[in-house]
mmCIF file of all heavy atoms in Angstrom:
data_model
loop_
_atom_site.group_PDB
_atom_site.id
_atom_site.type_symbol
_atom_site.label_atom_id
_atom_site.label_comp_id
_atom_site.label_asym_id
_atom_site.label_seq_id
_atom_site.Cartn_x
_atom_site.Cartn_y
_atom_site.Cartn_z
ATOM 1 N N TYR A 47 -32.364 68.831 34.753
ATOM 2 C CA TYR A 47 -33.318 69.403 33.709
ATOM 3 C C TYR A 47 -33.156 70.841 33.646
ATOM 4 O O TYR A 47 -33.134 71.487 32.535
ATOM 5 C CB TYR A 47 -34.712 68.945 34.016
ATOM 6 C CG TYR A 47 -35.698 69.542 33.085
ATOM 7 C CD1 TYR A 47 -35.969 68.937 31.838
ATOM 8 C CD2 TYR A 47 -36.428 70.640 33.387
ATOM 9 C CE1 TYR A 47 -36.911 69.496 30.992
ATOM 10 C CE2 TYR A 47 -37.341 71.243 32.463
ATOM 11 C CZ TYR A 47 -37.555 70.657 31.241
ATOM 12 O OH TYR A 47 -38.458 71.183 30.398
ATOM 13 N N ALA A 48 -33.207 71.539 34.811
ATOM 14 C CA ALA A 48 -33.102 73.005 34.871
ATOM 15 C C ALA A 48 -31.812 73.450 34.243
ATOM 16 O O ALA A 48 -31.737 74.452 33.517
ATOM 17 C CB ALA A 48 -33.261 73.543 36.279
ATOM 18 N N LEU A 49 -30.691 72.805 34.596
ATOM 19 C CA LEU A 49 -29.417 73.149 34.012
ATOM 20 C C LEU A 49 -29.447 72.940 32.486
ATOM 21 O O LEU A 49 -28.956 73.808 31.696
ATOM 22 C CB LEU A 49 -28.322 72.268 34.556
ATOM 23 C CG LEU A 49 -26.933 72.546 34.188
ATOM 24 C CD1 LEU A 49 -26.500 74.033 34.643
ATOM 25 C CD2 LEU A 49 -25.947 71.510 34.833
ATOM 26 N N ARG A 50 -30.039 71.884 31.941
ATOM 27 C CA ARG A 50 -30.136 71.657 30.491
ATOM 28 C C ARG A 50 -31.030 72.725 29.892
ATOM 29 O O ARG A 50 -30.705 73.258 28.751
ATOM 30 C CB ARG A 50 -30.649 70.348 30.223
ATOM 31 C CG ARG A 50 -30.486 69.873 28.774
ATOM 32 C CD ARG A 50 -30.773 68.444 28.489
ATOM 33 N NE ARG A 50 -32.100 67.964 29.056
ATOM 34 C CZ ARG A 50 -33.237 68.107 28.470
ATOM 35 N NH1 ARG A 50 -33.315 68.705 27.279
ATOM 36 N NH2 ARG A 50 -34.361 67.668 29.014
ATOM 37 N N ASP A 51 -32.038 73.135 30.554
ATOM 38 C CA ASP A 51 -32.905 74.248 30.070
ATOM 39 C C ASP A 51 -32.146 75.531 29.962
ATOM 40 O O ASP A 51 -32.174 76.220 28.948
ATOM 41 C CB ASP A 51 -34.122 74.449 30.989
ATOM 42 C CG ASP A 51 -35.139 75.372 30.446
ATOM 43 O OD1 ASP A 51 -35.563 75.188 29.274
ATOM 44 O OD2 ASP A 51 -35.537 76.290 31.145
ATOM 45 N N GLN A 52 -31.322 75.846 30.937
ATOM 46 C CA GLN A 52 -30.394 77.014 30.794
ATOM 47 C C GLN A 52 -29.455 76.876 29.646
ATOM 48 O O GLN A 52 -29.121 77.901 28.935
ATOM 49 C CB GLN A 52 -29.663 77.290 32.132
ATOM 50 C CG GLN A 52 -30.555 77.720 33.249
ATOM 51 C CD GLN A 52 -29.696 78.007 34.503
ATOM 52 O OE1 GLN A 52 -28.546 77.835 34.554
ATOM 53 N NE2 GLN A 52 -30.468 78.370 35.514
ATOM 54 N N ALA A 53 -28.948 75.659 29.421
ATOM 55 C CA ALA A 53 -27.964 75.497 28.374
ATOM 56 C C ALA A 53 -28.690 75.711 26.988
ATOM 57 O O ALA A 53 -28.103 76.288 26.048
ATOM 58 C CB ALA A 53 -27.407 74.038 28.424
ATOM 59 N N ALA A 54 -29.918 75.287 26.896
ATOM 60 C CA ALA A 54 -30.706 75.535 25.713
ATOM 61 C C ALA A 54 -30.927 77.005 25.419
ATOM 62 O O ALA A 54 -30.791 77.471 24.287
ATOM 63 C CB ALA A 54 -32.006 74.794 25.813
ATOM 64 N N GLU A 55 -31.198 77.724 26.463
ATOM 65 C CA GLU A 55 -31.404 79.177 26.348
ATOM 66 C C GLU A 55 -30.110 79.855 25.893
ATOM 67 O O GLU A 55 -30.139 80.671 25.041
ATOM 68 C CB GLU A 55 -31.866 79.837 27.681
ATOM 69 C CG GLU A 55 -33.337 79.557 27.953
ATOM 70 C CD GLU A 55 -34.321 80.239 27.026
ATOM 71 O OE1 GLU A 55 -33.947 81.111 26.244
ATOM 72 O OE2 GLU A 55 -35.474 79.858 27.059
ATOM 73 N N LEU A 56 -28.943 79.389 26.423
ATOM 74 C CA LEU A 56 -27.650 79.887 26.091
ATOM 75 C C LEU A 56 -27.399 79.643 24.632
ATOM 76 O O LEU A 56 -26.903 80.526 23.873
ATOM 77 C CB LEU A 56 -26.522 79.218 26.926
ATOM 78 C CG LEU A 56 -25.162 79.597 26.513
ATOM 79 C CD1 LEU A 56 -24.855 81.073 26.723
ATOM 80 C CD2 LEU A 56 -24.167 78.727 27.327
ATOM 81 N N ALA A 57 -27.744 78.421 24.155
ATOM 82 C CA ALA A 57 -27.549 78.049 22.700
ATOM 83 C C ALA A 57 -28.468 78.990 21.815
ATOM 84 O O ALA A 57 -28.030 79.379 20.730
ATOM 85 C CB ALA A 57 -27.856 76.632 22.466
ATOM 86 N N LEU A 58 -29.680 79.236 22.259
ATOM 87 C CA LEU A 58 -30.548 80.125 21.425
ATOM 88 C C LEU A 58 -30.007 81.564 21.354
ATOM 89 O O LEU A 58 -30.125 82.279 20.357
ATOM 90 C CB LEU A 58 -32.025 80.144 21.994
ATOM 91 C CG LEU A 58 -32.731 78.808 21.812
ATOM 92 C CD1 LEU A 58 -34.017 78.818 22.507
ATOM 93 C CD2 LEU A 58 -32.850 78.497 20.274
ATOM 94 N N ILE A 59 -29.417 82.052 22.456
ATOM 95 C CA ILE A 59 -28.740 83.307 22.420
ATOM 96 C C ILE A 59 -27.523 83.250 21.452
ATOM 97 O O ILE A 59 -27.301 84.166 20.665
ATOM 98 C CB ILE A 59 -28.347 83.760 23.828
ATOM 99 C CG1 ILE A 59 -29.590 84.092 24.671
ATOM 100 C CG2 ILE A 59 -27.371 84.903 23.801
ATOM 101 C CD1 ILE A 59 -29.330 84.354 26.170
ATOM 102 N N GLY A 60 -26.835 82.160 21.469
ATOM 103 C CA GLY A 60 -25.768 81.925 20.505
ATOM 104 C C GLY A 60 -26.242 81.988 19.082
ATOM 105 O O GLY A 60 -25.577 82.529 18.193
ATOM 106 N N LEU A 61 -27.365 81.368 18.758
ATOM 107 C CA LEU A 61 -27.937 81.463 17.453
ATOM 108 C C LEU A 61 -28.263 82.894 17.068
ATOM 109 O O LEU A 61 -27.921 83.293 15.949
ATOM 110 C CB LEU A 61 -29.207 80.648 17.396
ATOM 111 C CG LEU A 61 -30.046 80.709 16.147
ATOM 112 C CD1 LEU A 61 -29.168 80.212 14.927
ATOM 113 C CD2 LEU A 61 -31.326 79.984 16.239
ATOM 114 N N ALA A 62 -28.825 83.645 17.921
ATOM 115 C CA ALA A 62 -29.139 85.051 17.643
ATOM 116 C C ALA A 62 -27.890 85.817 17.351
ATOM 117 O O ALA A 62 -27.836 86.607 16.501
ATOM 118 C CB ALA A 62 -29.914 85.669 18.846
ATOM 119 N N LEU A 63 -26.803 85.593 18.127
ATOM 120 C CA LEU A 63 -25.591 86.256 17.940
ATOM 121 C C LEU A 63 -24.974 85.865 16.616
ATOM 122 O O LEU A 63 -24.464 86.758 15.867
ATOM 123 C CB LEU A 63 -24.605 85.872 19.047
ATOM 124 C CG LEU A 63 -24.846 86.645 20.436
ATOM 125 C CD1 LEU A 63 -24.194 85.840 21.591
ATOM 126 C CD2 LEU A 63 -24.261 88.102 20.309
ATOM 127 N N SER A 64 -25.088 84.585 16.257
ATOM 128 C CA SER A 64 -24.483 84.132 14.979
ATOM 129 C C SER A 64 -25.252 84.722 13.831
ATOM 130 O O SER A 64 -24.633 85.046 12.790
ATOM 131 C CB SER A 64 -24.581 82.610 14.915
ATOM 132 O OG SER A 64 -23.768 82.042 15.911
ATOM 133 N N GLU A 65 -26.580 84.781 13.953
ATOM 134 C CA GLU A 65 -27.377 85.231 12.783
ATOM 135 C C GLU A 65 -27.432 86.812 12.656
ATOM 136 O O GLU A 65 -27.393 87.315 11.522
ATOM 137 C CB GLU A 65 -28.762 84.686 12.963
ATOM 138 C CG GLU A 65 -28.951 83.218 12.727
ATOM 139 C CD GLU A 65 -30.326 82.809 12.669
ATOM 140 O OE1 GLU A 65 -31.230 83.508 13.283
ATOM 141 O OE2 GLU A 65 -30.636 81.733 12.171
ATOM 142 N N ARG A 66 -27.535 87.515 13.744
ATOM 143 C CA ARG A 66 -27.766 88.910 13.575
ATOM 144 C C ARG A 66 -26.917 89.806 14.498
ATOM 145 O O ARG A 66 -27.058 91.060 14.599
ATOM 146 C CB ARG A 66 -29.225 89.218 13.731
ATOM 147 C CG ARG A 66 -29.829 88.869 15.018
ATOM 148 C CD ARG A 66 -31.383 89.172 15.020
ATOM 149 N NE ARG A 66 -32.027 88.763 16.249
ATOM 150 C CZ ARG A 66 -32.322 87.611 16.622
ATOM 151 N NH1 ARG A 66 -32.264 86.620 15.669
ATOM 152 N NH2 ARG A 66 -32.824 87.429 17.815
ATOM 153 N N GLY A 67 -26.026 89.197 15.223
ATOM 154 C CA GLY A 67 -25.132 89.975 16.181
ATOM 155 C C GLY A 67 -24.027 90.712 15.350
ATOM 156 O O GLY A 67 -23.673 90.298 14.215
ATOM 157 N N ARG A 68 -23.606 91.736 15.894
ATOM 158 C CA ARG A 68 -22.475 92.440 15.220
ATOM 159 C C ARG A 68 -21.373 92.822 16.265
ATOM 160 O O ARG A 68 -21.783 93.078 17.418
ATOM 161 C CB ARG A 68 -22.908 93.674 14.517
ATOM 162 C CG ARG A 68 -23.480 94.739 15.410
ATOM 163 C CD ARG A 68 -23.982 95.961 14.530
ATOM 164 N NE ARG A 68 -24.337 97.048 15.364
ATOM 165 C CZ ARG A 68 -25.418 97.118 16.138
ATOM 166 N NH1 ARG A 68 -26.349 96.183 16.029
ATOM 167 N NH2 ARG A 68 -25.684 98.166 16.942
ATOM 168 N N ARG A 69 -20.182 92.773 15.860
ATOM 169 C CA ARG A 69 -19.052 92.993 16.789
ATOM 170 C C ARG A 69 -18.788 94.417 16.724
ATOM 171 O O ARG A 69 -18.674 95.029 15.776
ATOM 172 C CB ARG A 69 -17.818 92.191 16.394
ATOM 173 C CG ARG A 69 -16.766 92.252 17.467
ATOM 174 C CD ARG A 69 -15.817 91.146 17.282
ATOM 175 N NE ARG A 69 -14.687 91.406 18.212
ATOM 176 C CZ ARG A 69 -13.478 90.945 17.964
ATOM 177 N NH1 ARG A 69 -13.254 90.092 16.984
ATOM 178 N NH2 ARG A 69 -12.498 91.284 18.780
ATOM 179 N N GLU A 70 -18.579 94.985 17.954
ATOM 180 C CA GLU A 70 -18.231 96.452 18.097
ATOM 181 C C GLU A 70 -17.089 96.446 19.137
ATOM 182 O O GLU A 70 -17.351 96.393 20.350
ATOM 183 C CB GLU A 70 -19.387 97.289 18.615
ATOM 184 C CG GLU A 70 -20.469 97.442 17.565
ATOM 185 C CD GLU A 70 -21.594 98.382 17.936
ATOM 186 O OE1 GLU A 70 -21.509 98.965 19.109
ATOM 187 O OE2 GLU A 70 -22.551 98.520 17.212
ATOM 188 N N GLY A 71 -15.887 96.517 18.620
ATOM 189 C CA GLY A 71 -14.736 96.431 19.584
ATOM 190 C C GLY A 71 -14.709 95.159 20.308
ATOM 191 O O GLY A 71 -14.646 94.104 19.720
ATOM 192 N N GLU A 72 -14.639 95.159 21.572
ATOM 193 C CA GLU A 72 -14.594 94.028 22.481
ATOM 194 C C GLU A 72 -15.982 93.464 22.887
ATOM 195 O O GLU A 72 -16.046 92.697 23.786
ATOM 196 C CB GLU A 72 -13.699 94.218 23.610
ATOM 197 C CG GLU A 72 -12.218 94.250 23.237
ATOM 198 C CD GLU A 72 -11.720 93.002 22.633
ATOM 199 O OE1 GLU A 72 -11.960 91.814 23.154
ATOM 200 O OE2 GLU A 72 -11.118 93.090 21.492
ATOM 201 N N GLU A 73 -17.049 94.034 22.221
ATOM 202 C CA GLU A 73 -18.355 93.582 22.583
ATOM 203 C C GLU A 73 -19.142 93.106 21.371
ATOM 204 O O GLU A 73 -18.716 93.466 20.203
ATOM 205 C CB GLU A 73 -19.177 94.749 23.167
ATOM 206 C CG GLU A 73 -18.669 95.150 24.524
ATOM 207 C CD GLU A 73 -19.463 96.396 25.066
ATOM 208 O OE1 GLU A 73 -19.872 97.237 24.318
ATOM 209 O OE2 GLU A 73 -19.740 96.333 26.324
ATOM 210 N N TYR A 74 -20.200 92.328 21.577
ATOM 211 C CA TYR A 74 -21.175 91.997 20.551
ATOM 212 C C TYR A 74 -22.461 92.713 20.875
ATOM 213 O O TYR A 74 -22.832 92.781 22.049
ATOM 214 C CB TYR A 74 -21.434 90.482 20.448
ATOM 215 C CG TYR A 74 -20.377 89.731 19.627
ATOM 216 C CD1 TYR A 74 -19.094 89.412 20.237
ATOM 217 C CD2 TYR A 74 -20.640 89.415 18.354
ATOM 218 C CE1 TYR A 74 -18.215 88.723 19.455
ATOM 219 C CE2 TYR A 74 -19.699 88.659 17.575
ATOM 220 C CZ TYR A 74 -18.564 88.418 18.139
ATOM 221 O OH TYR A 74 -17.578 87.626 17.403
ATOM 222 N N VAL A 75 -23.149 93.194 19.887
ATOM 223 C CA VAL A 75 -24.464 93.811 20.099
ATOM 224 C C VAL A 75 -25.465 92.936 19.282
ATOM 225 O O VAL A 75 -25.253 92.573 18.118
ATOM 226 C CB VAL A 75 -24.440 95.291 19.482
ATOM 227 C CG1 VAL A 75 -25.833 95.908 19.640
ATOM 228 C CG2 VAL A 75 -23.357 96.054 20.242
ATOM 229 N N VAL A 76 -26.549 92.690 19.890
ATOM 230 C CA VAL A 76 -27.562 91.870 19.220
ATOM 231 C C VAL A 76 -28.869 92.158 19.866
ATOM 232 O O VAL A 76 -29.042 92.481 21.043
ATOM 233 C CB VAL A 76 -27.284 90.345 19.522
ATOM 234 C CG1 VAL A 76 -27.411 89.921 20.974
ATOM 235 C CG2 VAL A 76 -28.195 89.453 18.589
ATOM 236 N N ALA A 77 -29.984 92.037 19.089
ATOM 237 C CA ALA A 77 -31.320 92.240 19.498
ATOM 238 C C ALA A 77 -31.848 90.835 19.934
ATOM 239 O O ALA A 77 -31.921 89.900 19.099
ATOM 240 C CB ALA A 77 -32.193 92.821 18.491
ATOM 241 N N LEU A 78 -32.069 90.660 21.213
ATOM 242 C CA LEU A 78 -32.472 89.324 21.746
ATOM 243 C C LEU A 78 -33.982 89.319 21.938
ATOM 244 O O LEU A 78 -34.563 90.301 22.348
ATOM 245 C CB LEU A 78 -31.865 89.047 23.133
ATOM 246 C CG LEU A 78 -30.391 88.708 23.187
ATOM 247 C CD1 LEU A 78 -30.013 88.424 24.606
ATOM 248 C CD2 LEU A 78 -30.063 87.507 22.344
ATOM 249 N N ASP A 79 -34.601 88.153 21.736
ATOM 250 C CA ASP A 79 -35.934 87.889 22.074
ATOM 251 C C ASP A 79 -36.102 88.232 23.614
ATOM 252 O O ASP A 79 -35.213 87.839 24.406
ATOM 253 C CB ASP A 79 -36.334 86.460 21.793
ATOM 254 C CG ASP A 79 -37.772 86.146 22.173
ATOM 255 O OD1 ASP A 79 -38.630 86.357 21.397
ATOM 256 O OD2 ASP A 79 -37.845 85.661 23.290
ATOM 257 N N VAL A 80 -37.114 88.882 23.987
ATOM 258 C CA VAL A 80 -37.309 89.191 25.382
ATOM 259 C C VAL A 80 -37.299 88.015 26.312
ATOM 260 O O VAL A 80 -36.750 88.034 27.441
ATOM 261 C CB VAL A 80 -38.627 90.031 25.565
ATOM 262 C CG1 VAL A 80 -38.951 90.324 26.999
ATOM 263 C CG2 VAL A 80 -38.518 91.411 24.817
ATOM 264 N N ALA A 81 -37.841 86.893 25.873
ATOM 265 C CA ALA A 81 -37.869 85.622 26.709
ATOM 266 C C ALA A 81 -36.470 85.151 26.895
ATOM 267 O O ALA A 81 -36.110 84.769 28.024
ATOM 268 C CB ALA A 81 -38.728 84.588 25.960
ATOM 269 N N SER A 82 -35.604 85.191 25.979
ATOM 270 C CA SER A 82 -34.231 84.812 26.080
ATOM 271 C C SER A 82 -33.431 85.727 27.055
ATOM 272 O O SER A 82 -32.696 85.274 27.910
ATOM 273 C CB SER A 82 -33.496 84.758 24.754
ATOM 274 O OG SER A 82 -33.971 83.685 23.930
ATOM 275 N N ALA A 83 -33.589 87.057 26.884
ATOM 276 C CA ALA A 83 -33.051 87.900 27.743
ATOM 277 C C ALA A 83 -33.511 87.746 29.253
ATOM 278 O O ALA A 83 -32.728 87.720 30.150
ATOM 279 C CB ALA A 83 -33.308 89.399 27.385
ATOM 280 N N GLY A 84 -34.735 87.499 29.330
ATOM 281 C CA GLY A 84 -35.301 87.284 30.747
ATOM 282 C C GLY A 84 -34.817 85.932 31.272
ATOM 283 O O GLY A 84 -34.538 85.901 32.557
ATOM 284 N N ALA A 85 -34.633 84.924 30.497
ATOM 285 C CA ALA A 85 -34.155 83.588 31.033
ATOM 286 C C ALA A 85 -32.649 83.812 31.512
ATOM 287 O O ALA A 85 -32.285 83.278 32.519
ATOM 288 C CB ALA A 85 -34.197 82.601 29.858
#
Side-chain angles (χ1 to χ4, degrees):
Y47 176 83
L49 184 61
R50 191 169 53 84
D51 188 51
Q52 287 181 4
E55 287 291 347
L56 174 64
L58 290 175
I59 291 170
L61 173 62
L63 284 158
S64 297
E65 288 184 342
R66 59 183 182 275
R68 67 183 186 280
R69 189 162 169 202
E70 291 184 4
E72 288 300 308
E73 294 180 319
Y74 277 81
V75 178
V76 67
L78 288 182
D79 179 87
V80 172
S82 292

